[in-house]
Amino acid sequence: MTVPPTPRWRRAAPALVVLLLAGCGAEVAPEAGAPEPVTVPRCGQEVAYQRPEQAVVYEAGSADKLFALGLTDAVRGYVMPPANPPVEESPWAAEYAQVELLSQDLLNRELVVDAGADLVVAGWRSGFSEQRGITPEILDGLGIQSFMHTESCFNYPGFPERVTPFEGLYADLERLGRIFGVEERAAAYVGELRARVATVREAAPRLDPPPSVFLYDSGTDRPYTAGNQVPPNEIIEFAGARNIFADLEGRWIDVGWEAVVAAQPEIIVILDYQDQPAEEKIAFLRSHPALGSVPAIRNDRFHILDYNEAISGPRIVDGAEGFAEYVRTSFRR
């Protein structure tokens, strides 16, 4: 089914109306007194959104964006897979406490339908998935709105959109601000985040050459790392360092250990999952026979990046500040 370029939305409420929408593609006018729809990009597609009241959000990056904009009352619930750190550690712990945890598994269609969602916020291939049968196109047919993290639109079929990861965060906050009618609040918050990032960049050391960095996500036979389409690539750059795989066009990708050794990284950034602790990853890298010559291993230069400081969400700014401080204090060439 082809998604119409500007579908008109309504709140997904009675099941009968949802079935009618799915069956005939009918458009339903907003309820009396509801705000007029606003047209906002969803990746490279212009979509008309009715203001949501029952949003379902996937992972902390999605939830944090809405909580940071003061939209807790519009969140129906959140889905949080095991890799995510505990929500009690979040800057928005109080907001999480007010919202229902719907699942600790992956996002799926039945869950959002049962929740009565009128908006689903997630990333492409991170939440939304063709394999699991929950895509924006499928939700369109059910009368359920969807919003994708702009950073993840790099390879969205039919409507790709390519922006740098931090600009993707700012775009998401501004777009969500329009969808929920809090544009001024979103603009002010984006201004605060931009100012913090500008401070990081201004304070970064100007080293020649810049320290080389390998981000280790996971993997034993082949390591999984950050390409140039995810936030850690810019976190590393803003701190005055260089991602050894910055030339790879992609998001999260697997590489060979030979390439890591050949690059001789001076810092290894460890992505810390709840179900794969950083300490275990560091122990594995130290014991890997091929990595003995790597300067980061020899000099014990590891920096831990929290999972939510690496995925699209406000906490990537925290990640940039923390890593920048590590580089400033570790390198004085």
Side-chain angles (χ1 to χ4, degrees):
M1 180 179 71
T2 302
V3 183
T6 54
R8 189 165 292 273
W9 296 106
R10 58 154 189 90
R11 289 173 58 194
L16 175 60
V17 179
V18 171
L19 289 172
L20 287 172
L21 278 173
C24 64
E27 294 185 357
V28 177
E31 295 180 0
E36 284 297 311
V38 294
T39 300
V40 175
R42 184 180 70 189
C43 291
Q45 179 185 25
E46 294 294 317
V47 174
Y49 287 87
Q50 188 67 36
R51 187 174 300 177
E53 297 180 0
Q54 297 272 43
V56 168
V57 291
Y58 180 73
E59 290 200 307
S62 302
D64 290 357
K65 288 174 184 176
L66 269 62
F67 294 154
L69 295 178
L71 298 169
T72 307
D73 289 345
V75 179
R76 166 66 181 84
Y78 63 94
V79 177
M80 199 72 69
N84 285 255
V87 297
E88 292 79 11
E89 298 176 3
S90 165
W92 294 278
E95 284 74 16
Y96 280 101
Q98 298 176 49
V99 175
E100 183 180 355
L101 171 61
L102 298 172
S103 174
Q104 291 181 293
D105 202 347
L106 300 176
L107 192 67
N108 64 74
R109 179 174 49 188
E110 293 73 22
L111 184 153
V112 300
V113 171
D114 290 346
D118 57 7
L119 176 72
V120 179
V121 182
W124 177 243
R125 295 186 179 173
S126 175
F128 296 119
S129 166
E130 292 169 331
Q131 290 75 17
R132 287 185 285 103
I134 180 166
T135 66
E137 184 178 32
I138 289 170
L139 294 179
D140 286 346
L142 295 173
I144 301 174
Q145 304 176 111
S146 60
F147 182 92
M148 281 186 288
H149 302 310
T150 305
E151 173 232 296
S152 72
C153 295
F154 170 68
N155 55 0
Y156 180 58
F159 299 97
E161 180 179 4
R162 177 166 177 165
V163 297
T164 57
F166 275 70
E167 287 299 324
L169 168 64
Y170 307 146
D172 288 347
L173 292 165
E174 290 167 349
R175 292 172 184 181
L176 288 166
R178 290 191 60 207
I179 290 169
F180 285 91
V182 292
E183 294 97 328
E184 291 185 5
R185 194 182 306 165
Y189 186 54
V190 168
E192 292 174 14
L193 296 181
R194 286 186 181 276
R196 289 170 61 190
V197 171
T199 298
V200 167
R201 301 187 75 170
E202 289 165 4
R206 305 296 191 266
L207 302 173
D208 187 19
S212 55
V213 182
F214 166 55
L215 181 139
Y216 180 55
D217 176 302
S218 59
T220 54
D221 294 337
R222 291 175 62 82
Y224 209 50
T225 189
N228 59 15
Q229 294 297 308
V230 289
N233 186 65
E234 285 194 296
I235 287 173
I236 293 166
E237 175 191 337
F238 294 164
R242 178 181 60 84
N243 175 11
I244 62 173
F245 293 113
D247 293 335
L248 293 184
E249 295 288 320
R251 302 186 68 236
W252 301 100
I253 51 181
D254 69 331
V255 295
W257 288 114
E258 298 84 357
V260 176
V261 174
Q264 292 287 286
E266 297 168 273
I267 302 171
I268 295 177
V269 172
I270 303 292
L271 193 55
D272 191 19
Y273 293 179
Q274 177 69 10
D275 56 350
Q276 294 183 4
E279 293 76 13
E280 293 180 8
K281 295 180 182 180
I282 292 172
F284 166 75
L285 293 173
R286 283 177 174 152
S287 67
H288 197 295
L291 300 179
S293 67
V294 169
I297 301 288
R298 296 200 317 267
N299 298 316
D300 197 33
R301 285 187 175 141
F302 296 95
H303 176 76
I304 296 174
L305 192 67
D306 183 86
Y307 181 82
N308 288 310
E309 295 174 343
I311 64 172
S312 185
R315 283 185 260 180
I316 63 175
V317 178
D318 300 332
E321 291 169 336
F323 183 63
E325 177 64 19
Y326 179 82
V327 173
R328 283 196 302 272
T329 58
S330 298
F331 288 85
R332 291 181 173 86
R333 289 176 178 162

